[in-house]
Amino acid sequence: MGIYTDLAAEAREMNPDMTGIEEEESQEGEVLIKRIRITSEEAASRLGKKQGMYITLDAPELETRSPELFASVAGLIGKEINRLLDWDMSSATVLVVGLGNSGITPDSLGPEVVNRIHITRHIKKYMPEAFASPTASVCAIAPGVLGITGVETMDVVKGVVDAVHPDAVIAVDALASRRASRISCTVQLSDTGISPGSGVGNTRSELSHDSLGVPVIAIGVPLVVYASTITWEVLNIISEEENLDLTDDRLRTINEKLISRQSGDMIVTPKDIDTIVSDMSGVVADGINLALFGEQTHEIGSLLA
């Protein structure tokens, strides 16, 4: 019981000397872009992340809810999706999967994103003349969660993939961070797939190239922090400030006692989570739409309105 995070960048911060990792940073306006590629089995095992590319967009000023910064981050999401897939979207069929429970606000990012995606597959199939130029064939699904549907998310998505035969899947889900300051201010993209429910400690079968047979791009936004993560950080600060000679094992024992007295670990989210989910689902959906439709995004959005 210590620090839990879904972000590869944070896992790397906790293991700065580990080999088997390639990384680079760049700055785009107010957004810091970190790219981490896990290249070895050992590094993947120690970090708890699959081998592959992880891209983190950090924009602390997102908490000011600036429309200009929302648009900038959406544009970067679109560019990074195109970089990860690296093929002509205008001839592609893409399935967008919104993971999570729409009835629980901090877990509703995925379904909210799906509601804002430009869906074109049915129009391309039955009214292809509606589009003046080649356009991506896009479909989307929010499969719900096992506790409500009685069906594993993996089984639902696999069934749709087998029926639709997409060239790629883009899966969106809420994540957990080790820092409350990253909630709503960070977006992670990866080409390694995703395990639904990992952010809330209820991991299901993963959606990945191995399980679905097509490339899977995962996009997540941190919306929760574990209480044990917060208390762990507080204990470490107290230990450092008071010059207490406490080992990690001793701190871990104290942390476990703190959490056990609160009837188990809790998942913490901000009081304005409704606004955060609404804003960030818009940013992520805009980024996906830009990746899939490029300069046609506004035109297609108007056609579908």
Side-chain angles (χ1 to χ4, degrees):
M1 186 176 294
I3 297 175
Y4 178 83
T5 177
D6 287 316
L7 299 177
E10 291 186 338
R12 174 56 168 167
E13 290 169 2
M14 294 184 284
N15 297 273
D17 300 322
M18 184 181 299
T19 58
I21 297 174
E22 300 171 359
E23 55 189 322
E24 62 177 86
E25 288 188 3
S26 60
Q27 189 79 32
E28 292 279 349
E30 297 178 81
V31 184
L32 176 64
I33 305 173
K34 297 181 182 179
R35 295 185 177 88
I36 294 176
R37 183 179 295 279
I38 301 175
T39 60
S40 74
E41 293 271 358
E42 181 182 358
S45 177
R46 288 186 60 188
L47 294 182
K49 311 292 179 189
K50 293 181 65 175
Q51 292 187 58
M53 175 65 79
Y54 297 83
I55 302 159
T56 306
L57 308 179
D58 280 319
E61 293 304 312
L62 274 174
E63 66 180 4
T64 66
R65 328 317 296 168
S66 162
E68 292 77 18
L69 187 52
F70 283 161
S72 176
V73 173
L76 290 173
I77 290 172
K79 289 179 182 178
E80 295 302 334
I81 292 173
N82 288 143
R83 184 194 296 265
L84 290 171
L85 291 176
D86 193 26
W87 30 258
D88 182 8
M89 288 293 187
S90 65
S91 61
T93 297
V94 177
L95 170 64
V96 179
V97 179
L99 301 171
N101 186 342
S102 59
I104 300 176
T105 305
D107 194 33
S108 65
L109 178 75
E112 289 295 323
V113 168
V114 162
N115 289 338
R116 304 181 187 210
I117 295 297
H118 297 341
I119 306 301
T120 57
R121 181 174 178 267
H122 58 307
I123 300 177
K124 285 198 68 173
K125 184 175 182 179
Y126 298 110
M127 296 177 58
E129 68 278 4
F131 299 111
S133 57
T135 303
S137 177
V138 179
C139 50
I141 183 174
V145 294
L146 179 65
I148 293 176
T149 66
V151 183
E152 286 282 2
T153 299
M154 171 60 192
D155 293 335
V156 176
V157 177
K158 185 70 166 72
V160 176
V161 167
D162 290 345
V164 173
H165 305 294
D167 298 296
V169 170
I170 298 176
V172 182
D173 201 5
L175 305 179
S177 172
R178 64 176 289 207
R179 293 193 180 97
S181 61
R182 271 203 162 109
I183 289 179
S184 84
C185 296
T186 297
V187 179
Q188 176 176 270
L189 302 92
S190 76
D191 61 3
T192 61
I194 193 168
S195 296
S198 61
V200 292
N202 187 28
T203 304
R204 317 306 302 175
S205 300
E206 70 174 21
L207 308 180
S208 66
H209 192 289
D210 292 339
S211 61
L212 297 178
V214 297
V216 178
I217 303 301
I219 304 177
V221 177
L223 296 176
V224 298
V225 177
Y226 277 76
S228 59
T229 300
I230 297 173
T231 55
W232 174 268
E233 291 290 283
V234 171
L235 288 171
N236 274 276
I237 291 172
I238 292 173
S239 177
E240 292 173 2
E241 291 294 324
E242 299 298 325
N243 294 317
L244 302 177
D245 188 17
L246 298 175
T247 64
D248 280 352
D249 286 341
R250 179 57 180 154
L251 288 172
R252 188 173 292 107
T253 299
I254 297 172
N255 202 28
E256 289 173 353
K257 287 183 179 180
L258 283 171
I259 297 303
S260 65
R261 290 176 182 176
Q262 299 297 325
S263 301
D265 206 353
M266 292 183 291
I267 296 175
V268 182
T269 197
K271 62 182 180 181
D272 57 343
I273 189 63
D274 302 79
T275 301
I276 289 172
V277 169
S278 177
D279 288 342
M280 293 310 296
S281 61
V283 170
V284 173
D286 286 349
I288 294 173
N289 287 329
L290 286 167
L292 299 178
F293 303 111
E295 295 179 355
Q296 301 182 78
T297 301
H298 180 71
E299 176 186 342
I300 290 175
S302 298
L303 175 66
L304 298 175

